[in-house]
Amino acid sequence: MNGYQAIPELLRRHGSTTVFGVLGSSNVGWIGRGVADGTIRLVKTRHEETAVSAAAGYSRVSGRLGVCSATRGPGFANSLNPLASAVHYHAPLLLIVGESPASRDRTTQDIDQRTLATTLGAGFHHAADGDELESRFWDTIAAVERDGTPQVLSIGDGVLEGEVPLEPDVPREPRPRPAATPDRIEAAVEALGAAKRPLIVAGQGALLAGCRADLERLAEATGAWLGTTINVNRFFAGHPAEIGLVGQSAPEITKALLRTCDVVLGVGASLNDYTLDAGRLFGDAAIVQVEADPEHPRRATDEGLHLVGDAAATTRALLAAWTARHPDPRPAPPAPPTFAELAAAVAAADIGHDPARGVDLRALYAAMDARLPSDRIVVTDAGRTRSTMAALIDTVDAHSWLDSRGYGSVGLGLGYAIGAATAAPDRKVVLFSGDVGFMMASHDLDAIRLNDLDLTIVIRNDEQYGAERKYLAAVGLPPDLARQTLPDVPALARALGGDGVVIRDLDEVRDEHLAQRGLFILDVRLDPVTDWRPALDRARLPAGVPG
Amino acid sequence: MRGFQALPELLRLADATTVFGVLGSSNVPWIADGVYRGTLRLIKTRHEETAVSAAAGFGRVSGRLGVCSATRGPGFANSINPLAAAIHYHLPLLLIVGESPPSTDRSWQVLEQHALTDALGAGFHHAAAADELVPRFWEAVDAVAWNGLPQVLSIGDGVLTSEVSVPDRRPPVPARAAPPADRVVAAVDALAVAERPLILAGQGALLADVRADLERLGERIGARLGTTITVNRFFSGHPAEVGLVGASAAEATKRLVRPTDVVLAVGASLNGKTLDGGTLFPDATIIQCEIDPSVERRATVEALYLVGDARATVKALIAEWEARGLPDRPAPSPAAPTFDDLADRIAETDIGHDPRRGIDLRAIYRLVSQGAPADRIVVTDAGRSRATMAALVDARDARSWLDSMGYGSIGLGLGFAVGAAAAAPDRRVILFTGDVGFMMSSHDLDAMRLNHLDQTIVIRNDEQNGAELKYLAAVDLPTDLVRQSLPDVPTLARAFGGEGVVLLRVDDLDAAWLTRPGLVILDARIDPELDWRQALLAAS
């Protein structure tokens, strides 16, 4: 077969049938072939930024590889911000591009794609001719699967038109997923055995390895609390030992409990400054780190506690070694406050909100949490107004709670939400976005229309660059420059075949708004003055609730 | 003063009064200080892609430094595509960003900005400490002025809040060198024996503002005056002008310039498009005037490669011609058709247009060319339907005719138009864009509303990725995949405080739309089946 047929065929063999993309000369042929043959579903976006983010969101919700494509040169350049963001989060996605600088084709779309991709930290694989295509493809897949780092597959000039030999279609050998070495397993079990208050912290690596059940069993055996980084909020949703979010963004009530932990087992978590709250959370605790990538910065408190291995295999090895030493499980830890108890406390904290200035963001979150169907998928864009959302809106699991923030980029949430809506057409997907991030991506409200998707968007509209206020205040300047209104959002929604409403009081949110199919936008006018974050610190549990 | 006050002061000294940008933590203090003091106007955009393109458009229209700013990390990453496009065209702009990876600030917005900029080919200047701000700033400004290559100025962590001393005037502008005398002699030797010379002006000629000198030289040596596509209308109105030269030129023009025996290229890269894959001047002697000695050499012999400032070079050529006492040569003949004559022929050529399928785009171009105010500024986005525009829509000079194509990127036209509208608030800006490019940047229709700018947008709407059709046809695939409609454009325009209308027939185009204040969008449903380029071939 030729290259046009081979790429869709390789994607089919891998089980990847959905491609997010913007068409261009270097990708329209193979996408066209795959769509015509029924092996590919193309979800069109108006900008590559959205296509890449959508692949990340699709991957998160479906647990499968996210595939996206951009044309060479400008299309690739437009992909760099979401790619950098996906690199930061280890969002497993494959970006397929045409070769650039062109080696044979006559084109002006020249840009040094390999240097740009590798500078971001993504993998780059180039199939210079047809003979290389299949092996490069599977190399790329293996690299994504290793630790979730996004990979770029570059299709050389002439490959699409040329003959591409493919091996027979036989099931692939599962990739070996080794556990950490036995001495490290023993050292970790030793540390856990001495723990009075152990904590398991799951990060993105735990989600990618799908080891929730294994980690819960390990927690039940060792008497550990179960917490997550912000990347995988709600990973342990509903488990009696779950303590929720661990890190700087956790409520102070949770942080107070976390500070009592003496052994922390991080699984697939980078244990960065945010998770460790700049060293304030686990001052004297022993840290055991389970990490797939030996290159990753070491946070274990002792080299013997740095466990390099697959998260699921290592967790099972830890449980086996633990059970061999401790046939009887340790007692369960004191029950932490539930999600609902914490949420109520955060929502009730006095932070000086004045209803005359606009809606209370926390009340908005609480209303959505109460009114949306329980199998909802929620997505948040970056920005100041995101801080309390993880504590106030619940979902059934971490595959239903998406944060597009990446390395501090606004505007990628819409892409994530489009990916989520594609992955789960039967579930309610709600994007929460600030006004600035909303407008930045607003061209791709059109992707909802073009692909017949359902998406509800809640704009946390404070009519300003909220995050920039403090930088102006820091140098004694007034905040006026950071302020601007949104355009007429309901009209914008209608232009794109949807509908929308401006909400100045939460009583104005009607059930039919939340039940609307297609695109529906709620432009919620927030109190722009209140700093919401202190609610996390000031929240207090009512008497009688443990914690 | 402190760094956040020093930067606006430096911009004031550089005669830069407008900055296009998206605010973020690393740029909001200095932008706000300049705005609050009244020395700086901020044109807010919704995406950095627009801000960078707008600075390029502003620089083109105003002839001044285009300044834009993005915050570090994601803001910078969002600037990469328009930066690459600006590099391709040597559009003079300065992009001011915060340092990343951060050296002392606590931030997640980590990106290897220096390495990324190097990979694109732009200049990068990092002020690591407060005392480096002033020298790095002028170094960047001078580098932009040298050959129009975009430059990135990176402001180190802590610089904005540190004390900076700013001298009250700018350092002397570096001298502009003429090429060596022997090269000037060699060039005039070649021009003196030329029978059908052609002067070909590119972006470098525009940057050096050398039109009058080139026209004088052209009148001395009897040359035709042509331009690359980047500076279409540079010689607008001159009797010897032959218009656009290159692959995109009308066949009639190509025929006129094929007999050229000496080409004097000034600030033009003479790439495959300009030389039409080598078919335009296969046997001509090529003299190349270029400021950057590292640019690929196209001169026929080394002695005809003149490295120097375009204006200094052209003045030296005139001086040498006059010193030899050479007489003025006769004007070239036959005379080239005027812009309007050629345009009318192209517009009337039968290329199989069927009115039932949609509007003849050429008719729209001609109506705008004849009906819009004479001092209009026209901008085009990239795409298939752009092919005949350079030949059909006139503007009074090259600073009023903008092409955002860069290295083949669509969607940057709106940014160019935002910059043009900010540079010339009393002139009408008309953007022509395809439906795909229009939607790609449609978030920044909001920049019109936020900054009270006026603009008419004409969407060349063929309801498809027109340029991609041929790639599907080449492999016998159905073309449905590349077809899609636009949303409801008039409602979209109203959402942004503007007005819009769908044009189904040429007669629907009311000239009032070309002058109405604010944002006006014309969604012109063009015949999607035609290959407009054919009109350029057939018009001979």
Side-chain angles (χ1 to χ4, degrees):
Chain A
M1 64 181 69
N2 59 30
Y4 293 111
Q5 296 161 309
I7 295 176
E9 172 61 14
L10 287 166
L11 288 170
R12 188 193 66 76
R13 291 184 184 182
H14 179 258
S16 298
T17 54
T18 300
V19 176
F20 300 87
V22 178
L23 298 174
S25 60
S26 67
N27 65 5
V28 67
W30 69 261
I31 294 176
R33 183 79 257 167
V35 170
D37 291 349
T39 55
I40 284 180
R41 176 186 181 198
L42 170 66
V43 177
K44 282 184 187 179
T45 64
R46 289 296 192 176
H47 196 291
E48 291 83 359
E49 205 170 313
T50 321
V52 178
S53 303
Y58 175 88
S59 159
R60 176 60 171 257
V61 170
S62 67
R64 300 163 73 175
L65 177 70
V67 182
C68 52
S69 182
T71 202
R72 62 170 152 216
F76 181 78
N78 275 341
S79 311
L80 292 175
N81 185 42
L83 192 61
S85 189
V87 167
H88 188 86
Y89 267 0
H90 290 248
L93 64 85
L94 167 60
L95 169 60
I96 306 180
V97 296
E99 178 174 10
S100 184
S103 58
R104 278 178 278 178
D105 290 358
R106 188 170 170 226
T107 173
T108 54
Q109 299 183 317
D110 284 340
I111 195 168
D112 187 350
Q113 294 181 162
R114 178 187 291 273
T115 302
L116 292 168
T118 54
T119 301
L120 298 182
F124 190 89
H125 311 261
H126 178 58
D129 59 52
D131 291 345
E132 289 184 357
L133 181 64
E134 180 165 19
S135 59
R136 288 295 165 276
F137 178 82
W138 293 116
D139 289 351
T140 306
I141 297 294
V144 178
E145 287 179 348
R146 196 178 69 90
D147 70 345
T149 299
Q151 305 289 320
V152 177
L153 176 62
S154 160
I155 310 296
D157 291 350
V159 169
L160 293 179
E161 299 82 5
E163 188 62 24
V164 172
L166 292 189
E167 299 290 327
D169 181 14
V170 293
R172 278 197 309 148
E173 291 283 313
R175 164 182 83 91
R177 295 170 183 267
T181 55
D183 59 318
R184 299 286 167 103
I185 297 285
E186 288 303 323
V189 167
E190 185 81 35
L192 286 167
K196 293 190 171 62
R197 181 64 65 235
L199 169 72
I200 293 173
V201 180
Q204 174 77 355
L207 182 88
L208 293 174
C211 63
R212 174 181 171 170
D214 295 318
L215 284 171
E216 289 180 350
R217 272 193 288 277
L218 183 62
E220 287 152 17
T222 58
W225 277 328
L226 290 164
T228 73
T229 67
I230 186 126
N231 290 352
V232 292
N233 191 34
R234 310 317 298 128
F235 186 66
F236 295 117
H239 193 279
E242 75 143 339
I243 198 163
L245 189 59
V246 172
Q248 186 181 295
S249 307
E252 176 58 31
I253 299 162
T254 307
K255 288 183 185 174
L257 295 175
L258 294 171
R259 285 191 208 102
T260 67
C261 293
D262 56 354
V263 176
V264 178
L265 173 66
V267 179
S270 66
L271 300 174
N272 59 30
D273 267 5
Y274 274 60
T275 303
L276 302 179
D277 198 11
R280 288 187 286 267
L281 272 186
F282 308 113
D284 301 321
I287 295 182
V288 185
Q289 187 180 11
V290 177
E291 172 57 52
D293 178 4
E295 305 289 303
H296 201 279
R298 306 202 170 190
R299 310 286 184 182
T301 43
D302 183 291
E303 179 59 24
L305 299 179
H306 185 76
L307 280 62
V308 175
D310 175 72
T314 303
T315 301
R316 284 194 289 270
L318 285 169
L319 183 59
W322 174 274
T323 312
R325 286 200 196 189
H326 310 275
D328 299 320
R330 293 268 167 98
T338 65
F339 187 93
E341 288 162 350
L342 275 175
V346 170
D350 181 4
I351 49 173
H353 162 65
D354 180 350
R357 291 192 300 248
V359 169
D360 184 331
L361 174 65
R362 298 165 300 167
L364 169 66
Y365 287 146
M368 291 297 156
D369 190 57
R371 294 173 66 172
L372 292 170
S374 61
D375 70 343
R376 72 192 72 136
I377 296 167
V378 299
V379 183
T380 180
D381 204 287
R384 189 181 73 111
T385 47
R386 155 185 166 279
S387 59
T388 58
M389 181 167 151
L392 292 171
I393 299 197
D394 202 3
T395 58
V396 291
D397 58 24
H399 289 286
S400 309
W401 212 110
L402 282 66
D403 184 337
S404 73
R405 180 175 180 270
Y407 68 130
S409 180
V410 297
L412 302 180
L414 180 63
Y416 274 70
I418 285 166
T422 304
D426 301 331
R427 295 169 63 189
K428 184 76 182 172
V429 180
V430 183
L431 165 68
F432 294 81
S433 177
D435 48 316
V436 175
F438 169 79
M439 273 315 296
M440 185 178 256
S442 57
H443 47 273
D444 259 312
L445 297 172
D446 205 30
I448 314 291
R449 181 183 70 92
L450 289 175
N451 303 289
D452 294 317
L453 301 174
D454 298 315
L455 179 64
T456 298
I457 300 176
V458 178
I459 307 175
R460 304 178 285 221
N461 186 0
D462 58 7
E463 303 194 317
Q464 62 189 343
Y465 287 78
E468 277 63 48
R469 281 174 67 99
K470 68 175 175 188
Y471 296 97
L472 287 172
V475 290
L477 291 172
D480 313 35
L481 189 73
R483 291 201 178 127
Q484 66 271 308
T485 61
L486 280 186
D488 180 344
V489 168
L492 182 61
R494 284 193 292 275
L496 297 155
D499 206 352
V501 63
V502 174
I503 299 294
R504 292 190 169 80
D505 184 311
L506 289 175
D507 293 342
E508 296 164 358
V509 180
R510 299 204 301 267
D511 288 342
E512 55 262 38
H513 294 154
L514 301 180
Q516 192 103 9
R517 304 304 298 258
L519 169 67
F520 193 83
I521 312 179
L522 297 105
D523 174 3
V524 182
R525 303 297 172 84
L526 295 182
D527 171 356
V529 175
T530 299
D531 184 7
W532 308 105
R533 220 191 143 78
L536 295 171
D537 296 333
R538 292 184 202 159
R540 296 291 175 268
L541 293 172
V545 176
Chain B
M1 65 182 75
R2 293 162 79 192
F4 72 90
Q5 297 159 321
L7 201 41
E9 176 61 11
L10 286 165
L11 287 168
R12 191 185 66 77
L13 290 171
D15 196 26
T17 55
T18 302
V19 58
F20 299 87
V22 178
L23 298 174
S25 59
S26 67
N27 64 5
V28 69
W30 69 261
I31 294 176
D33 186 77
V35 171
Y36 294 157
R37 281 171 199 270
T39 62
L40 207 54
R41 176 171 63 145
L42 169 66
I43 302 289
K44 283 183 185 177
T45 65
R46 289 296 191 175
H47 196 293
E48 291 82 359
E49 207 169 311
T50 321
V52 177
S53 302
F58 178 89
R60 174 62 171 256
V61 170
S62 67
R64 298 161 72 177
L65 179 66
V67 182
C68 51
S69 182
T71 201
R72 63 169 152 220
F76 181 81
N78 275 340
S79 310
I80 287 178
N81 184 40
L83 194 59
I87 289 165
H88 190 84
Y89 271 177
H90 286 245
L91 297 172
L93 65 85
L94 177 64
L95 169 60
I96 305 179
V97 295
E99 178 174 11
S100 187
S103 52
T104 55
D105 288 0
R106 190 169 171 230
S107 168
W108 281 116
Q109 298 182 318
V110 177
L111 194 70
E112 293 289 345
Q113 295 179 166
H114 194 155
L116 292 168
T117 305
D118 285 349
L120 298 177
F124 191 88
H125 310 264
H126 177 56
D131 60 356
E132 294 181 11
L133 180 62
V134 174
R136 289 294 94 73
F137 177 85
W138 291 115
E139 185 183 290
V141 168
D142 288 342
V144 174
W146 182 63
N147 73 342
L149 198 64
Q151 304 289 318
V152 176
L153 176 64
S154 159
I155 310 296
D157 291 352
V159 169
L160 291 181
T161 48
S162 302
E163 277 301 313
V164 174
S165 131
V166 180
D168 61 4
R169 62 185 60 187
R170 68 155 298 165
V173 177
R176 306 237 125 191
D182 59 326
R183 300 282 167 107
V184 172
V185 166
V188 171
D189 285 348
L191 291 170
V193 298
E195 289 172 12
R196 288 173 303 279
L198 169 73
I199 291 177
L200 184 55
Q203 174 74 0
L206 183 83
L207 292 173
D209 197 15
V210 72
R211 175 182 170 168
D213 294 312
L214 276 177
E215 289 179 351
R216 194 171 312 126
L217 178 62
E219 287 153 18
R220 295 275 182 281
I221 67 176
R224 294 193 190 275
L225 300 171
T227 73
T228 66
I229 185 126
T230 36
V231 292
N232 191 33
R233 311 316 296 127
F234 186 67
F235 293 118
S236 172
H238 192 280
E241 77 146 329
V242 70
L244 183 61
V245 171
S248 309
E251 181 58 29
T253 306
K254 291 185 188 178
R255 284 193 182 186
L256 270 180
V257 300
R258 272 196 200 105
T260 298
D261 56 354
V262 178
V263 177
L264 174 67
V266 179
S269 66
L270 298 175
N271 58 30
K273 301 245 156 159
T274 300
L275 301 179
D276 199 9
T279 61
L280 266 189
F281 319 111
D283 302 319
T285 298
I286 294 181
I287 306 167
Q288 187 178 12
C289 303
E290 172 55 54
I291 198 165
D292 178 359
S294 69
V295 161
E296 200 175 338
R297 306 203 171 192
R298 310 280 187 182
T300 313
V301 294
E302 178 65 20
L304 296 179
Y305 187 76
L306 279 64
V307 174
D309 171 69
R311 191 190 297 194
T313 302
V314 173
K315 283 185 187 301
L317 291 171
I318 294 173
E320 174 65 18
W321 183 276
E322 290 175 347
R324 293 188 189 186
L326 293 167
D328 283 5
R329 296 283 159 87
S333 76
T338 65
F339 187 93
D340 279 334
D341 282 350
L342 185 56
D344 287 342
R345 278 156 61 190
I346 292 170
E348 287 156 13
T349 301
D350 181 6
I351 55 171
H353 166 66
D354 181 344
R356 286 169 302 184
R357 291 193 304 246
I359 293 174
D360 185 336
L361 176 61
R362 298 169 297 170
I364 298 271
Y365 283 149
R366 291 307 287 150
L367 280 175
V368 170
S369 193
Q370 288 153 352
D375 67 347
R376 64 184 167 265
I377 297 166
V378 298
V379 183
T380 181
D381 204 287
R384 192 178 71 109
S385 51
R386 152 183 168 281
T388 58
M389 181 169 151
L392 295 178
V393 182
D394 202 1
R396 69 178 191 193
D397 56 27
R399 294 203 179 279
S400 307
W401 211 109
L402 281 66
D403 183 336
S404 73
M405 188 200 175
Y407 67 128
S409 179
I410 61 169
L412 302 180
L414 181 67
F416 276 68
V418 167
D426 48 352
R427 296 168 61 193
R428 190 63 184 182
V429 176
I430 303 173
L431 166 67
F432 292 86
T433 176
D435 48 317
V436 177
F438 170 77
M439 274 315 294
M440 187 178 255
S441 56
S442 57
H443 48 272
D444 260 310
L445 296 172
D446 207 29
M448 302 292 152
R449 183 185 69 90
L450 289 174
N451 303 289
H452 306 291
L453 300 175
D454 300 328
Q455 181 180 155
T456 298
I457 299 176
V458 181
I459 308 175
R460 304 178 285 222
N461 186 3
D462 58 7
E463 302 195 314
Q464 62 190 353
N465 292 60
E468 277 64 48
L469 269 178
K470 65 177 174 191
Y471 297 97
L472 286 176
V475 288
D476 293 325
L477 284 171
T479 53
D480 326 20
L481 187 72
V482 295
R483 294 191 206 279
Q484 63 269 315
S485 63
L486 279 186
D488 177 349
V489 169
T491 306
L492 188 67
R494 282 193 290 278
F496 294 106
E499 294 178 83
V501 64
V502 174
L503 306 182
L504 297 174
R505 293 183 313 275
V506 173
D507 296 344
D508 294 341
L509 178 60
D510 178 347
W513 293 112
L514 303 176
T515 53
R516 191 172 303 222
L519 170 67
V520 176
I521 310 182
L522 308 177
D523 176 3
R525 304 295 172 83
I526 64 171
D527 182 346
E529 304 286 323
L530 288 184
D531 180 3
W532 306 104
R533 283 189 74 90
Q534 296 300 321
L536 295 174
L537 298 175
S540 49

